[in-house]
């Protein structure tokens, strides 16, 4: 590749270049003055090269070298030379050579004091790093993350294109359909009182593309959700979005497994070939207390209700009599846990609405603890057997509502997996969770809601009970889980407008409201819509999990902070008072035009 200002990159020179004249451009990573002999480590995205300014060099080069600040942008011309014996650096690819400088130009001078260091060993606080993100992004780890993201995106695109998927960009201005997360809305200047929304997903448009006959579609789509920030959430995220016609669940699984395998190979060379393990939603909840279980360790949950329902322990009797469940797990070798440690587990359970936990130690095949005396010898032995427990283990039980007991104990299990070091680094466990409930009850609004979204096809065998028993209806829904993290979800879609109206009616959407919000989609199916299904993978999250990162901000070039503020450009920002008028809107009471507050 030919460059105007340079002949080579900073990661390119080798022993084979010795004696040649080379011109490099990059950032001054370090400058060391050894009393007339000045060493400059020059850095670009490709690597590092050491340049040396010798005492016999031109006066201009020597004078320039002594005044260089770290992170200044330089152009250095010189002769490639072998490093003296004993000074070679095996840590960098160019470590056998150095550039003996004959001319140095400062293309961009840096301030003497940097607001953040370009070092993975000297991290400033996150707020400072986000404000000076353009400096922080020079760090090797972040540049490696961006490279990994690029390789994964390219691999996914190529894999899908080779299988006849077409990349199509769907609109970024859509109609607002306030279901789930809040929409970002954009006022229309030309239509006073009317608003666009930024898409939470391309869902409706990709269904229209299937009706249009494109058969296989994908895009790496930006999606916008006005929701509270967390380490694994951003206001804007990218998803690998796809849809395919004339397919069933197995077809979708095969495609997604191929995409995931391609991404892993591109990022870190790991092979994670399908088919991935499959569990129904009910089985996942029953065994792990989670619809996104981490399978990198065991400690499976067991339902002990039948073993304790007739015990003398009042809590067990009452919970069982009211239709609740008593569940347990065995933590290997944890009988030594202190009261403080078991209290910590109880607090975790309480976060998920359980009233507490019942810890019991296993000694000589029996249980020891405050409630052991209420359990018969036969019941104790049966509990130990069912949980595959051994002497020295700690059995943890939760008695509560069926869902609460499962979820709370599942979170205790998750915590113990990390606390006990049961998760091996570099271990990847992928899982399909299928057949989710189609609806869930919202007690605050006293109505049914769609558990995922309203366009999901119910299972064929559940159609007769769709209206009479919504709680029992399962959808043709599927989530992909990687190491306990939901990577994405999808479904086989409803392609019958009459069935779509039935589902909308169950969640309380009137015919008029359905027509207003989704009429364009319902009418589209009246003109011939194929059976189709799809999926969306959270791309940012996928890259973070593959790289073993906890924070999504480490794989996004310009993320927002925890408050949803982009510090690098101080966004959101005020707008000019004239813009309020042009958009036919007024600020809320107490907020003056052009003087917005966060």
């Amino acid at each position: 590749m030919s460059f105007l200002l340079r002949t080579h990159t900073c990661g390119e020179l080798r022993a084979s270049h010795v004696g040649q004249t080379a011109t490099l451009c990059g950032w001054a990573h370090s400058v060391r003055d050894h009393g007339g002999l000045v060493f400059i480590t020059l850095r670009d995205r490709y690597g590092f090269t050491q340049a040396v300014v010798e005492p016999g060099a031109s006066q201009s080069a020597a004078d320039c070298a002594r005044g260089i600040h770290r992170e200044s942008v330089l152009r250095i011309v010189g002769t490639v030379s072998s490093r003296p014996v004993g000074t070679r650096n095996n840590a960098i690819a160019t470590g056998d050579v150095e550039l003996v400088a004959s001319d140095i130009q400062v293309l961009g001078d840096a301030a003497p004091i940097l607001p953040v260091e370009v070092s993975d060993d000297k991290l400033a606080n996150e707020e400072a790093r986000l404000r000076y993100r353009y400096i922080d992004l020079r760090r090797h780890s972040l540049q490696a993350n961006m490279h990994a993201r690029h390789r994964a995106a390219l691999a996914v695109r190529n894999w899908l294109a080779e299988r006849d998927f077409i990349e199509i960009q769907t609109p970024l201005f859509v109609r607002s359909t306030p279901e789930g997360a809040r929409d970002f809305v954009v006022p229309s200047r030309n239509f006073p009182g009317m608003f666009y929304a930024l898409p939470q997903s391309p869902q409706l448009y990709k269904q229209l593309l299937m009706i249009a006959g494109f058969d296989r579609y994908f895009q790496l789509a930006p999606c916008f959700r006005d929701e509270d920030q967390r380490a694994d959430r951003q206001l804007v995220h990218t998803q690998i979005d796809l849809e395919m016609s004339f397919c069933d669940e197995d077809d979708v699984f095969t495609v997604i497994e191929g995409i995931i395998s391609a991404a892993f190979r591109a990022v870190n060379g790991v092979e994670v070939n399908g088919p991935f393990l499959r569990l129904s939603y009910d089985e996942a909840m029953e065994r792990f207390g989670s619809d996104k279980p981490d399978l990198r360790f065991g400690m499976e949950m067991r339902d002990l209700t039948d073993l304790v329902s007739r015990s003398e322990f009042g809590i067990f009797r009452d919970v069982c009599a009211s239709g609740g469940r008593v569940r347990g797990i065995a933590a290997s070798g944890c009988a030594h846990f202190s009261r403080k440690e078991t209290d910590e587990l109880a607090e975790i359970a309480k976060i998920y609405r359980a009233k507490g936990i019942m810890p019991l130690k296993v000694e000589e095949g029996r249980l020891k603890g405050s409630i052991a005396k209420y359990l018969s010898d036969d019941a104790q032995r049966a509990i130990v057997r069912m949980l595959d427990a051994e002497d020295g283990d700690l059995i943890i039980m939760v008695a509560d509502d069926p869902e609460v007991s499962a979820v709370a104990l599942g979170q205790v299990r998750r915590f113990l997996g990390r606390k006990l070091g049961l998760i091996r680094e570099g271990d990847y466990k992928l899982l399909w969770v299928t057949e989710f409930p189609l609806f869930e009850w919202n007690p605050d609004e006293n109505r049914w809601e769609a558990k995922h979204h309203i366009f999901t096809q119910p299972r064929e065998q559940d159609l007769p009970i769709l209206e009479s028993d919504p709680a029992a209806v399962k959808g043709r829904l599927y989530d992909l889980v990687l190491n306990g993290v939901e990577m994405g979800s999808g479904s086989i879609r409803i392609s019958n407008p009459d069935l779509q109206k039935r589902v909308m009616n169950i969640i309380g959407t009137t015919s008029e409201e359905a027509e207003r919000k989704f009429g364009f989609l319902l009418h589209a199916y009246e003109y011939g819509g194929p059976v189709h299904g799809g999926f969306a993978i959270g791309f940012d999250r996928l890259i973070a999990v593959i790289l073993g990162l906890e924070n999504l901000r480490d794989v996004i070039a310009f993320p927002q902070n925890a408050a949803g503020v982009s510090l690098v450009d101080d966004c959101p920002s005020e707008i000019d008072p004239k813009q309020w008028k042009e958009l036919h809107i007024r600020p809320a009471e107490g907020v003056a035009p052009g003087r917005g507050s966060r």
Side-chain angles (χ1 to χ4, degrees):
M1 185 177 293
S2 176
F3 300 99
L4 182 63
L5 294 180
R6 61 185 175 184
T7 60
H8 300 80
T9 70
C10 293
E12 192 173 348
L13 296 179
R14 300 290 189 272
S16 60
H17 295 99
V18 169
Q20 297 180 17
T21 298
T23 303
L24 305 183
C25 294
W27 285 258
H29 190 70
S30 66
V31 182
R32 295 166 290 143
D33 189 342
H34 289 236
L37 193 65
V38 180
F39 294 94
I40 302 169
T41 300
L42 200 64
R43 183 196 73 245
D44 62 12
R45 81 175 227 208
Y46 305 98
F48 299 85
T49 296
Q50 177 173 282
V52 58
V53 184
E54 297 178 336
S58 68
Q59 191 62 44
S60 61
D63 292 344
C64 183
R66 293 188 184 93
I68 291 171
H69 302 137
R70 286 184 306 121
E71 294 305 306
S72 292
V73 180
L74 309 179
R75 180 176 185 263
I76 302 179
V77 181
T79 302
V80 182
S81 175
S82 293
R83 289 202 193 193
V85 176
T87 67
R88 293 179 179 176
N89 184 353
N90 295 326
I92 59 175
T94 63
D96 289 337
V97 299
E98 59 189 11
L99 188 68
V100 180
S102 58
D103 183 64
I104 301 175
Q105 293 176 264
V106 178
L107 302 179
D109 195 15
I113 299 176
L114 297 171
V116 294
E117 289 292 329
V118 183
S119 170
D120 289 316
D121 300 321
K122 301 176 183 178
L123 291 181
N125 67 71
E126 188 176 60
E127 293 291 295
R129 287 187 282 115
L130 291 177
R131 186 170 297 282
Y132 298 97
R133 188 65 165 180
Y134 43 86
I135 301 177
D136 195 44
L137 278 170
R138 298 175 189 174
R139 285 193 290 124
H140 173 74
S141 62
L142 288 184
Q143 294 226 339
N145 293 349
M146 296 304 118
H147 277 275
R149 182 185 177 108
H150 162 71
R151 292 195 305 272
L154 189 61
V156 167
R157 280 191 164 100
N158 289 339
W159 195 94
L160 287 168
E162 289 167 3
R163 287 154 184 83
D164 294 328
F165 281 82
I166 301 173
E167 184 168 11
I168 301 174
Q169 281 71 48
T170 51
L172 292 181
F173 278 4
V174 303
R175 65 180 297 119
S176 179
T177 55
E179 302 285 341
R182 289 182 294 272
D183 282 332
F184 280 104
V185 294
V186 180
S188 170
R189 179 178 59 84
N190 291 324
F191 299 95
M194 306 291 279
F195 294 82
Y196 303 100
L198 301 180
Q200 297 188 32
S201 83
Q203 181 65 47
L204 301 181
Y205 290 99
K206 65 180 179 179
Q207 292 187 229
L208 291 176
L209 286 171
M210 294 304 100
I211 297 171
F214 281 98
D215 194 66
R216 292 185 165 204
Y217 136 94
F218 84 97
Q219 69 173 313
L220 267 67
C223 300
F224 307 83
R225 295 181 183 178
D226 186 8
E227 57 187 353
D228 296 334
Q229 298 282 276
R230 302 201 307 259
D232 64 343
R233 287 282 193 273
Q234 285 279 296
L235 299 179
V236 186
H237 71 275
T238 301
Q239 66 185 36
I240 306 171
D241 194 69
L242 64 86
E243 197 80 4
M244 48 198 294
S245 295
F246 309 113
C247 67
D248 62 11
E249 289 87 339
D250 288 336
D251 297 317
V252 177
F253 292 170
T254 298
V255 168
I256 298 302
E257 288 167 0
I259 289 173
I260 296 296
S261 298
F264 265 92
R265 281 193 299 272
V267 171
N268 59 11
V270 172
E271 293 291 336
V272 290
N273 298 321
F276 302 155
L277 181 66
R278 301 181 191 182
L279 291 178
S280 70
Y281 169 86
D282 289 344
E283 186 178 1
M285 294 299 296
E286 196 67 27
R287 291 172 57 184
F288 302 101
S290 172
D291 59 4
K292 42 183 180 291
D294 192 336
L295 301 185
R296 290 176 292 178
F297 63 99
M299 207 186 300
E300 287 194 27
M301 195 163 58
R302 294 288 184 266
D303 190 332
L304 308 175
T305 306
D306 291 343
L307 300 180
V308 302
S309 59
R310 295 182 178 83
S311 73
E312 297 177 13
F313 189 45
I315 291 177
F316 284 170
R317 285 202 317 270
D318 293 345
V319 166
C320 296
S322 63
R325 290 287 183 270
V326 180
R327 306 180 194 272
I329 57 174
S332 179
C334 294
H336 66 278
F337 269 22
S338 65
R339 175 64 180 271
K340 180 180 178 181
E341 288 175 300
T342 57
D343 284 349
E344 183 179 29
L345 301 180
E347 290 305 312
I348 292 170
K350 289 176 182 177
I351 291 173
Y352 295 91
R353 298 192 292 134
K355 298 174 183 64
I357 65 169
M358 282 142 280
L360 294 163
K361 300 175 182 179
V362 181
E363 293 183 2
E364 298 180 352
R366 298 184 61 190
L367 303 179
K368 182 177 180 181
S370 59
I371 69 167
K373 60 186 176 183
Y374 299 110
L375 301 171
S376 68
D377 288 347
D378 287 344
Q380 290 188 34
R381 284 192 289 269
I383 290 169
V384 171
R385 281 196 306 272
M386 181 169 280
L387 293 174
D388 294 323
E390 299 178 352
D391 289 351
D393 291 354
L394 180 69
I395 289 176
I396 302 151
M397 304 168 73
V398 173
D400 217 304
D401 165 270
E403 182 178 353
V404 170
S405 62
V407 172
L409 193 56
Q411 291 299 321
V412 170
R413 171 189 176 272
R414 185 184 182 93
F415 174 82
L416 285 170
R418 296 186 179 278
K419 178 181 176 69
L420 302 177
L422 302 179
I423 298 171
R424 293 179 301 171
E425 186 176 349
D427 193 12
Y428 301 100
K429 296 295 184 183
L430 286 135
L431 165 72
W432 287 108
V433 179
T434 66
E435 297 182 318
F436 281 76
L438 192 60
F439 305 104
E440 60 184 352
W441 182 252
N442 183 331
D444 296 330
E445 298 184 14
N446 196 36
R447 69 181 183 93
W448 291 105
E449 292 180 334
K451 190 168 181 68
H452 276 50
H453 62 64
I454 62 175
F455 308 108
T456 297
Q457 174 81 27
R459 293 189 308 181
E460 192 72 25
Q461 62 265 39
D462 293 337
L463 291 177
I465 61 168
L466 190 61
E467 285 85 3
S468 61
D469 192 5
V473 176
K474 296 292 197 295
R476 296 178 69 179
L477 289 157
Y478 34 83
D479 279 5
L480 180 64
V481 178
L482 171 56
N483 293 351
V485 178
E486 180 192 327
M487 287 292 101
S489 62
S491 68
I492 302 300
R493 320 301 185 189
I494 296 173
S495 54
N496 181 316
D498 292 332
L499 178 57
Q500 185 68 76
K501 291 173 183 176
R502 289 173 64 189
V503 169
M504 289 180 174
N505 187 57
I506 290 169
I507 65 172
T509 301
T510 65
S511 299
E512 294 76 13
E513 189 178 6
E515 178 66 28
R516 179 168 54 85
K517 290 182 176 180
F518 308 109
F520 66 97
L521 179 66
L522 297 175
H523 292 311
Y525 281 112
E526 295 174 357
Y527 299 98
V531 173
H532 61 102
F535 201 78
I537 301 169
F539 186 58
D540 311 307
R541 188 176 301 171
L542 174 64
I543 302 305
V545 173
I546 293 176
L547 293 174
L549 302 172
E550 295 290 335
N551 197 326
L552 289 185
R553 298 183 189 104
D554 290 335
V555 298
I556 299 172
F558 298 103
Q560 300 98 23
N561 68 3
V565 176
S566 173
L567 293 173
V568 72
D569 58 347
D570 202 25
C571 174
S573 64
E574 300 171 346
I575 62 173
D576 190 282
K578 290 187 297 184
Q579 290 176 280
W580 290 94
K581 185 175 181 180
E582 289 174 347
L583 295 171
H584 315 286
I585 56 176
R586 291 194 299 270
E589 186 176 347
V591 179
R595 298 179 61 84
S597 60
R598 297 201 180 125

